[in-house]
Amino acid sequence: MHFEIKNNIFWVGKIDWELRKFHGEEYSTHKGTTYNSYLIKDEHTVLIDTVWTPFAEEFVDNLSQVVSLDKIDFIIANHAEPDHSGALPALMKEIPDTPIYCTANGVKSLKGYYHKDWDFHVVKTGDKLSLGSRDLVFVSAPMLHWPDSMFCYLTDDNILFSNDAFGQHYASELMYNDLVDQCELFDECIKYYANILTPFSHLVRKKIEEVLELKLPVDMICTSHGVIWRDDPLQIVNKYMEWADNYKENQITIIYDTMWNSTRRMAEAIAEGIRKVDGMVVVKLFNSARADKNDIIKEVFKSKAIIVGSPTINNGILSSVSGILEEIRGLRFREKKAAAFGSYGWSGEGVKMITELLKEAGFEIVNEGIRELWKPDREAIKRCADFGENFVKSL
Ligand code: FEO
């Protein structure tokens, strides 16, 4: 499959309808994904990125139907992760002398993955590659989201090839932002940002400001995953600026795990307490052992506060709760509040432990949390509801 986007610029990537987990088992992709690769034909022909390794053969075959492979003059590797570079070995077997343009860190990663001495050309921000009637201008974008990442910009057609930035794991044969379901699209965009880009938010803002200051017209943003932004392409850039600014909505997320439903009952009572005094705040509950962790992270990203609960077990907390707290710690959320809760039968130190973990993760702790012995009775349920009321009042 391939199609022309504009003036001899072709999408030559792969739609992966089947993918349900990305980065090993790390990231859920309920709607599949795409690996976008682009071919620009001019006086010189250039290929931007490739696709993930399992599709290498298909990719090379498909590409050879759009262009005779020996007519490819340059390859751009905007990012070395194997979902974009995975077909390079198969392609380079066919055209081994073709120069590959990437950042200095790109060379390190590509050599590290493939152990080949291809003809690498290191580029940095402002460097240009003339294709004949148009130029490609490079913009390094370290930590958006890897140290080797870069963008490139095609003059005259005003297209920004942004690689992972502004992308989403979303398979659709429609391929353009204005043609797909907007709720689905933005849900995947925010999930992608929350799970992948949150720790680099300060760099996201800086890089976007730097690119906007160049005052380059942008008619299209061609990402490496999901749709091509052609209708008001800067809308996703503006969303990124919002998300990078310690984003939060009027939402509280309650995350818990439970053994005999006591901690679940506490979670529900806390939610009822919140609802009693604040009819507008969105409250969402997730059992961390059952819900998808990337979906939970997306909801944490949207929240102004979270409440996390676990029963005490083996002088600790349940592993699904410690697991999601470890994810949350790594993502470095800022300006969010939190508290802990949980049931216990014997030692009961779980709530304290969760509170400490939340503090370490950068959350502002609202109170010392609440714990209840054995199965909560009516009085205990009332205490939990009061806890919810006081929690929301103190935000
Ligand atoms: Fe789509 Fe960072 O790889």
Side-chain angles (χ1 to χ4, degrees), residues 22-23 79 81 83-84 145-146 163-164 169 192 224-225:
F22 184 78
H23 276 162
H79 177 31
E81 264 200 288
D83 51 326
H84 308 296
H145 69 119
W146 268 23
N163 197 266
D164 283 331
H169 289 302
Y192 191 89
S224 60
H225 297 292

Side-chain angles (χ1 to χ4, degrees), residues 159-177:
I159 299 179
L160 181 68
F161 296 92
S162 62
N163 197 266
D164 283 331
F166 315 123
Q168 60 314 132
H169 289 302
Y170 184 35
S172 167
E173 83 286 3
L174 297 171
M175 286 308 297
Y176 290 104
N177 73 304

Side-chain angles (χ1 to χ4, degrees), residues 5-23:
I5 300 166
K6 201 179 174 189
N7 305 333
N8 273 322
I9 303 162
F10 299 86
W11 180 92
V12 289
K14 174 71 191 170
I15 301 179
D16 187 349
W17 294 97
E18 290 188 357
L19 192 79
R20 288 297 175 269
K21 289 282 181 179
F22 184 78
H23 276 162

